[in-house]
Amino acid sequence: MAHILINNQSLENFVQGLKISPEKRDFLLEKIPEMDTEERLALFKTLTKIYLLDLKEKEAIERIKKFWEK
């Protein structure tokens, strides 16, 4: 049984929620149905890293804004 985090719909939702170029997004969405379990796990780990980097970037921008406004 496939893990719920690496099924087609979950991975597609994850890809669509990231700040990546439309070209990369479309490429990944096209490839997801063809991926095996190992590839899906690797993609999930990579997408998680991208998501966490996006969060760190957002936090850094907020800190800079607070400092700049003072």
Side-chain angles (χ1 to χ4, degrees), residues 7 9 11 16 30-31 47 51 62 65 67 69:
N7 68 27
Q9 190 62 50
L11 287 174
Q16 291 173 349
E30 180 183 315
K31 295 296 180 183
L47 295 176
Y51 175 76
E62 290 301 317
K65 283 182 182 179
F67 177 74
E69 290 173 355

Side-chain angles (χ1 to χ4, degrees), residues 7 17 25 39 59 64:
N7 68 27
R25 181 178 301 120
E39 292 170 326
E59 291 172 0
I64 291 171

Side-chain angles (χ1 to χ4, degrees), residues 2-60:
H3 196 279
I4 194 164
L5 293 175
I6 61 170
N7 68 27
N8 284 357
Q9 190 62 50
S10 294
L11 287 174
E12 289 171 3
N13 289 341
F14 204 172
V15 168
Q16 291 173 349
L18 295 175
K19 295 189 308 185
I20 57 176
S21 70
E23 296 82 18
K24 290 178 184 175
R25 181 178 301 120
D26 292 343
F27 174 79
L28 288 172
L29 292 174
E30 180 183 315
K31 295 296 180 183
I32 288 172
E34 303 169 7
M35 293 180 172
D36 63 20
T37 302
E38 285 184 32
E39 292 170 326
R40 289 169 181 268
L41 285 171
L43 177 62
F44 180 76
K45 288 177 184 178
T46 301
L47 295 176
T48 301
K49 289 177 184 178
I50 294 169
Y51 175 76
L52 293 173
L53 286 172
D54 286 347
L55 280 180
K56 285 183 181 182
E57 178 185 18
K58 183 178 178 182
E59 291 172 0

